[in-house]
Amino acid sequence: MAYIKIKLSNNEKKAFQVLMDDLKITINEAQKLIDKKRLFCNGEVVKEKNKILKGLVELIVYQNNPKGVKIVFENEDFAVLEKESGVLTHPNGRHCNYSLSDEIGHLWGRQACVAHRLDKETSGVILVAKHKKAQIELKALFEKKLIQKEYLALVKGEIKENFRVDKAMDLVKNYDDVKTRMQICEQGKKAITDFEVLKYFPLFNTTLLLCKPLTGRQHQIRVHLHHKNHPILGDPLYGLSKDQIKSILDQTLSPNQRLELTKAKRLCLHSYSLKFQYKGENFNIISKTNIKNDFIKALKK
């Protein structure tokens, strides 16, 4: 999604009123745009909602740049999309030219948004609310842990039995030196994940796991598997030095160099299914991607 400046009408009104009139939005939505420093008057950022605007008024907005996305399921309230690895859920700055928000805005307009997030390198199913009411209801389901998520992960080594990891987690103290990271920490927040063995690939010495997080901590599956000495192949954060992490995040490594470093050209983690009840109806939405083949391709030069 590219950021562009558009010209707004101006009758020497207050900043929030200009936004409300031109964009047909609420005063709260207008305030958010001002807080995000997207409103300009004569080239200067407008910081106060009650400022009378005189002159050229411009607003930085998103311009959708859709490339096409798979819709797994859709009804009048929500949809489930198949996100590819390497695609951001939200734009992360004015230099971001594409994210899943491009597809959502193109398909369902400005009111639609994701109900939860997936990391950039995690692929798979993601739930999208089509309007504000659905957004509130679906996010409430996530907060109350009423939506069961399952993931597929390809990990290092052979695992023969199903297992559970019950280890609390917290932020790494110096995470801001590279990127947000988590760690096992006795004083952290409770985190539990169940793991089911699906298949062992002796040629690559890797095991495909079905991962069932019972809590919703950031990077929970990745940290728990790293703790068990079965890291997810292609992980760009855990088990690497600061310089190695930077080289992946800055995309200075070739795919084959990353393969040598992390044993895969992408993070081999996939959002496989979402199970929940909405308006009295049960949903069990499963990814249609043949992710096993995609994972194996990521292991080859």
Side-chain angles (χ1 to χ4, degrees):
M1 179 178 288
Y3 288 79
I4 61 170
K5 272 187 178 181
I6 62 171
K7 184 178 179 181
L8 301 183
S9 62
N10 182 23
N11 295 315
E12 298 189 2
K13 292 184 284 189
K14 292 181 179 180
F16 76 88
Q17 194 66 56
V18 172
L19 290 170
M20 290 177 66
D21 291 349
D22 270 40
L23 303 180
K24 310 301 180 187
I25 60 176
T26 66
I27 188 171
N28 287 335
E29 290 172 317
Q31 182 65 64
K32 287 180 181 179
L33 290 174
I34 294 169
D35 291 342
K36 291 178 179 179
K37 300 180 180 179
R38 291 187 184 166
L39 184 64
F40 293 77
C41 184
N42 297 320
E44 298 291 330
V45 175
V46 177
K47 299 179 181 179
E48 300 175 5
K49 70 175 182 179
N50 290 318
K51 180 178 180 179
I52 302 296
L53 303 185
K54 298 180 181 180
L56 176 63
V57 180
E58 297 173 297
L59 178 71
I60 291 178
V61 297
Y62 300 128
Q63 185 179 52
N64 292 325
N65 179 32
K67 299 179 180 179
V69 66
K70 293 179 182 178
I71 302 175
V72 179
F73 176 85
E74 181 179 5
N75 65 17
E76 62 182 8
D77 294 318
F78 66 85
V80 176
L81 303 182
E82 194 90 59
K83 189 182 88 68
E84 294 184 359
S85 177
V87 175
L88 287 163
T89 302
H90 293 292
N92 64 349
R94 295 181 185 176
H95 299 294
C96 176
N97 293 318
Y98 177 74
S99 73
L100 199 63
S101 296
D102 287 87
E103 306 296 346
I104 294 169
H106 173 70
L107 289 167
W108 300 294
R110 188 168 52 86
Q111 291 297 318
C113 67
V114 292
H116 62 119
R117 292 194 181 198
L118 290 177
D119 289 339
K120 179 180 178 180
E121 291 209 3
T122 303
S123 55
V125 291
I126 187 168
L127 188 58
V128 177
K130 288 188 173 183
H131 51 79
K132 190 69 177 179
K133 188 172 184 294
Q135 176 191 347
I136 294 171
E137 292 173 348
L138 292 170
K139 287 190 174 182
L141 292 179
F142 276 106
E143 290 171 1
K144 295 175 182 177
K145 299 179 176 59
L146 295 177
I147 296 183
Q148 181 182 344
K149 296 183 285 185
E150 294 182 340
Y151 294 78
L152 294 174
L154 193 64
V155 304
K156 178 184 176 182
E158 182 179 9
I159 302 174
K160 296 182 178 181
E161 296 182 351
N162 301 342
F163 63 100
R164 168 177 285 191
V165 179
D166 184 351
K167 291 289 183 180
M169 296 168 52
D170 202 354
L171 283 169
V172 173
K173 300 290 185 184
N174 63 342
Y175 73 91
D176 59 347
D177 65 350
V178 178
K179 187 177 174 64
T180 301
R181 284 173 286 156
M182 305 293 288
Q183 63 180 347
I184 299 296
C185 178
E186 289 184 4
Q187 291 76 37
K189 295 180 179 179
K190 191 171 184 63
I192 305 173
T193 316
D194 284 335
F195 297 95
E196 180 182 331
V197 177
L198 298 181
K199 187 174 181 178
Y200 175 62
F201 299 93
L203 179 62
F204 301 100
N205 188 30
T206 62
T207 303
L208 184 66
L209 297 175
L210 180 66
C211 314
K212 303 175 183 179
L214 305 184
T215 51
R217 309 301 171 210
Q218 186 174 16
H219 296 174
Q220 178 174 317
I221 296 172
R222 296 160 68 177
V223 173
H224 276 173
L225 286 169
H226 183 260
H227 171 74
K228 294 293 288 185
N229 294 317
H230 291 291
I232 299 176
L233 301 186
D235 196 317
L237 285 179
Y238 297 99
L240 301 179
S241 69
K242 179 178 175 179
D243 287 341
Q244 289 172 332
I245 293 170
K246 280 187 172 182
S247 68
I248 294 175
L249 297 178
D250 295 339
Q251 297 182 327
T252 58
L253 293 182
S254 70
N256 284 336
Q257 287 174 322
R258 177 168 176 179
L259 175 62
E260 291 293 329
L261 181 63
T262 67
K263 309 307 177 186
K265 291 181 281 189
R266 58 158 286 188
L267 175 68
C268 291
L269 182 63
H270 184 77
S271 173
Y272 176 67
S273 71
L274 296 168
K275 301 176 184 178
F276 57 97
Q277 186 180 82
Y278 182 81
K279 291 185 175 180
E281 185 176 353
N282 292 320
F283 294 91
N284 183 11
I285 302 170
I286 297 174
S287 170
K288 296 180 181 179
T289 299
N290 189 343
I291 196 61
K292 184 176 72 174
N293 285 354
D294 287 356
F295 283 169
I296 295 302
K297 287 179 183 177
L299 307 186
K300 299 177 179 178
K301 289 187 177 181

